[in-house]
Amino acid sequence: MKRKSLGMLSILGITLLLAACSKNEDEMDNMITSNNITVENVLDSKPLVESGTFKNTGASPLIMPGESVSFQFSAGKGQAISFATMYGWSNDLFFAPENPGINLYKADGTPIEGDVSAQIKLWDNGTRINQHPGESVTHPGVAESSTRNINEVNGSDDQGNTYAPAKDLLNATLHYDGNSLFTLTIKNTSGNTINPTPFSPGVWAISYIAGGNLLNSKILFESGKPTANGLTNLSEMGDNSLIGNYVKEQTGIFTPLSPVLVVVYNGIENPIYTLGQKDAGKGLKKLAQMGNASDLADYLKTAKGVKNVYVLSAEGSTVLLPKIGNQEGSKVSQKLDVSKGDRIAIATMYGLSNDWFFASKGNGVDAMLKGDISNTISLFDNGTAVNQFPGASITQFNLAGTPIAEDKNIEEVPNPNAFTTLPSISNIIKITLQ
């Protein structure tokens, strides 16, 4: 009897021990711990949104009197198109609009169309002594004893040679093609003037605009300053390769990131979006189009399974700026209260787009992870606004535009896409858990 009682006590003790261990494990699972999330805009940004070269597509690349060339580009309100082409029968003269370039929209956002030749000027590169127009064809130009600054040729040059007005030599015409697209046509109209001349192959470019200011308002040259970046080869020899390579290197991606939405959840799927389905009308549209996470954050705070919601803004600014020159990009950090089994998902707008947003793929990440989780992020199209060239659009909210509504499913943005080739996601946004 005694032995039997001892056996029952042993079983009871084991049962109690197991119950205590189970209780401790449950408590461990529910224990709140901390994990810090840091989000950085690591994009090595470029100042030019678009650029290219042009030439005659006939037997000769030169644009002879009576001939014309055209090229197409996208642009938003406040942006301008700049270009340069050599006055062929000169030592170092070139045509170009005065900086920052040809205006493309009126103050009310109406596209400018028609003849814009009045904005074109003739410039002296300052690297060769001027001769009578046409003589440089048979007599190589003589280098200046010391390089002078670029200056406008207005009626006559420093050697007393006379010129017809630039607008009579070169005709520039804008046509608005719709959806923020323009075509610029450059026609050589010098044939019936005192200065008939071919035009060389040329170069063109458009600067990004941010905060109402162009990132580069003097793309190709600066009046009163020495020539640079391959413009000499263009203005002396009609060779656009060096300056074409220069603008190409300056062309790429620039975008801020909006305040970052971070959500901690448990027992549910990613509550921010569902791939392949339409926007649920809970506030993601506002984040994707305007960078405003407030409505979505308010909804998530009431959603079943959501434990914590954070909206992270950079200090002194509402957006996370990319690297600009020697200035590092912005970053934000936040202490998160998480437990075992929790998951984390984020969302932030690709600022210079119509409705693109970066977000966690699939069902987010384990909240207990440590390290760089940038590879869990992708770029998505919210499907609620018609896409236009990112950073060159009249309808992007952050370029003072009004998005054009569409009704499509949420999908990943392909790369390259219809507009541009993007860097890898990890070269735009970096996310670290510590």
Side-chain angles (χ1 to χ4, degrees):
M1 187 74 178
K2 184 177 180 181
R3 185 176 300 170
K4 183 177 179 181
S5 299
L6 288 173
M8 292 181 65
L9 289 172
S10 297
I11 292 171
L12 180 60
I14 292 171
T15 302
L16 292 172
L17 179 62
L18 290 173
C21 289
S22 177
K23 182 179 180 181
N24 288 339
E25 288 177 359
D26 289 342
E27 289 176 350
M28 289 291 291
D29 287 347
N30 293 324
M31 184 180 295
I32 296 176
T33 185
S34 295
N35 207 348
N36 288 301
I37 187 169
T38 299
V39 182
E40 303 175 66
N41 189 334
V42 294
L43 176 65
D44 187 5
S45 68
K46 302 295 184 180
L48 304 183
V49 61
E50 292 177 276
S51 67
T53 57
F54 60 85
K55 64 179 181 179
N56 194 338
T57 56
S60 168
L62 298 178
I63 307 158
M64 302 303 291
E67 296 181 331
S68 63
V69 294
S70 298
F71 53 88
Q72 191 180 58
F73 55 90
S74 296
K77 185 179 176 181
Q79 291 177 312
I81 178 73
S82 186
F83 73 86
T85 178
M86 180 189 181
Y87 180 113
W89 286 352
S90 74
N91 290 356
D92 65 341
L93 305 185
F94 65 95
F95 294 98
E98 192 169 12
N99 289 321
I102 298 173
N103 299 320
L104 299 168
Y105 292 92
K106 298 177 183 177
D108 62 1
T110 302
I112 294 173
E113 295 191 88
D115 191 338
V116 292
S117 306
Q119 297 185 56
I120 310 304
K121 298 182 182 297
L122 183 62
W123 304 89
D124 184 343
N125 193 55
T127 51
R128 294 282 170 179
I129 295 174
N130 294 314
Q131 294 174 291
H132 188 274
E135 288 184 0
S136 57
V137 175
T138 55
H139 300 284
V142 179
E144 297 280 1
S145 56
S146 61
T147 300
R148 296 181 294 110
N149 295 331
I150 295 173
N151 286 292
E152 181 186 355
V153 177
N154 191 3
S156 63
D157 60 30
D158 60 348
Q159 299 297 311
N161 301 305
T162 59
Y163 301 85
K167 65 181 180 64
D168 293 342
L169 303 173
L170 184 153
N171 177 264
T173 306
L174 275 176
H175 181 264
Y176 184 64
D177 305 321
N179 206 33
S180 297
L181 284 167
F182 290 85
T183 295
L184 179 66
T185 298
I186 298 171
K187 183 175 182 179
N188 187 331
T189 54
S190 68
N192 294 323
T193 71
I194 61 172
N195 305 116
T197 180
F199 301 159
S200 74
V203 62
W204 63 270
I206 299 173
S207 170
Y208 277 103
I209 190 168
N213 298 312
L214 294 169
L215 295 186
N216 188 345
S217 61
K218 302 175 179 66
I219 300 171
L220 303 177
F221 71 99
E222 186 172 355
S223 179
K225 296 290 182 66
T227 187
N229 306 316
L231 182 57
T232 294
N233 281 44
L234 177 71
S235 62
E236 291 186 4
M237 298 178 286
D239 178 2
N240 65 349
S241 59
L242 285 181
I243 194 166
N245 288 336
Y246 166 73
V247 296
K248 184 177 180 179
E249 291 170 357
Q250 297 295 306
T251 304
I253 304 301
F254 173 91
T255 188
L257 303 177
S258 71
V260 184
L261 177 76
V262 181
V263 57
V264 179
Y265 57 100
N266 198 318
I268 59 173
E269 296 297 310
N270 187 334
I272 296 175
Y273 73 98
T274 302
L275 189 65
Q277 294 187 15
K278 292 181 180 179
D279 184 284
K282 305 299 184 181
L284 179 59
K285 173 182 173 180
K286 196 171 183 179
L287 182 150
Q289 290 189 12
M290 303 167 60
N292 188 331
S294 59
D295 286 2
L296 184 55
D298 288 344
Y299 160 73
L300 290 172
K301 289 173 183 177
T302 67
K304 183 179 178 181
V306 173
K307 300 178 69 174
N308 288 299
V309 180
Y310 309 85
V311 178
L312 317 183
S313 297
E315 185 176 353
S317 174
T318 58
V319 300
L320 277 68
L321 292 171
K323 295 180 181 179
I324 304 174
N326 295 323
Q327 181 180 333
E328 289 297 310
S330 305
K331 65 180 179 180
V332 289
S333 295
Q334 175 68 48
K335 177 183 174 182
L336 307 178
D337 292 329
V338 296
S339 303
K340 186 177 180 180
D342 288 350
R343 301 195 72 78
I344 298 171
I346 72 102
T348 178
M349 181 188 182
Y350 183 113
L352 296 188
S353 73
N354 295 80
D355 65 340
W356 291 356
F357 65 99
F358 294 99
S360 302
K361 293 184 284 189
N363 196 27
V365 298
D366 184 340
M368 309 303 285
L369 280 178
K370 302 289 184 181
D372 188 338
I373 61 166
S374 306
N375 62 354
T376 68
I377 305 299
S378 192
L379 181 62
F380 299 91
D381 182 344
N382 192 49
T384 55
V386 174
N387 291 318
Q388 295 177 331
F389 199 110
S393 163
I394 192 61
T395 68
Q396 286 164 11
F397 178 82
N398 289 315
L399 292 178
T402 301
I404 302 171
E406 68 176 7
D407 188 23
K408 295 182 178 180
N409 292 338
I410 296 171
E411 300 291 350
E412 283 196 60
V413 175
N415 191 27
N417 52 69
F419 307 101
T420 188
T421 299
L422 299 166
S424 65
I425 300 299
S426 60
N427 284 331
I428 302 175
I429 181 172
K430 180 178 180 181
I431 304 181
T432 309
L433 292 175
Q434 297 174 315

